[in-house]
Amino acid sequence: TAVAVAVTHIVAMDFEFDLRDALPERITQITVASLKATRSQPPQLVKQRERIIDEMGKASATAQGLPSPITTASRLRASDHRLYVLRDSHSGCNLVVGIIKLGRKRLFLLVRILNYTLQHAHTGQE
């Protein structure tokens, strides 16, 4: 298993609500636990985080020319990945500047290609 880092293009997005509750830090880590309603995380807060993730995921997919978003709240909820969200602290309280997702991925294709290439490099075969 390798660690994969999916760097998402920086796409600033303005939200109509104050982000300081949903994203308390300038850089806020969001995990599965961050998407569960509890006494300290009311459902409204969780819905705001889900909206931020989904909207930024759509904008990221568009910026990368992808047919559909890779980053969504439902996919994050079903993984052990961590999403870091950068909030602009200088232009008010409702601008998200970018996201980056970190997590483990199985990269079988890369390993197979690398092994094939290394084996044939040592034997001189094509």
Side-chain angles (χ1 to χ4, degrees):
T1 304
V3 175
V5 177
V7 177
T8 301
H9 292 67
I10 295 178
V11 178
M13 182 168 286
D14 200 13
F15 289 87
E16 72 279 356
F17 52 88
D18 188 328
L19 297 171
R20 290 178 290 187
D21 289 333
L23 305 173
E25 304 295 326
R26 184 165 181 254
I27 299 173
T28 300
Q29 175 183 275
I30 298 178
T31 63
V32 171
S34 308
L35 297 175
K36 291 181 182 173
T38 63
R39 286 185 181 162
S40 62
Q41 295 183 151
Q44 178 183 353
L45 178 80
V46 173
K47 286 181 184 184
Q48 287 177 343
R49 286 183 179 152
E50 289 172 342
R51 175 129 184 262
I52 292 165
I53 295 166
D54 290 343
E55 293 299 320
M56 290 298 291
K58 287 177 193 173
S60 174
T62 300
Q64 295 178 70
L66 301 174
S68 62
I70 294 173
T71 303
T72 65
S74 62
R75 285 185 178 178
L76 185 63
R77 189 176 274 113
S79 73
D80 63 348
H81 294 172
R82 297 175 311 278
L83 183 73
Y84 293 90
V85 182
L86 176 62
R87 174 177 54 86
D88 185 354
S89 57
H90 300 293
S91 64
C93 304
N94 56 353
L95 186 68
V96 173
V97 179
I99 59 175
I100 185 169
K101 184 170 57 174
L102 303 175
R104 293 190 160 295
K105 297 269 186 182
R106 293 184 183 177
L107 303 174
F108 293 113
L109 181 60
L110 177 62
V111 171
R112 288 182 185 158
I113 291 171
L114 185 59
N115 284 339
Y116 178 82
T117 303
L118 290 174
Q119 287 173 351
H120 292 291
H122 289 296
T123 62
Q125 298 176 353
E126 295 203 24

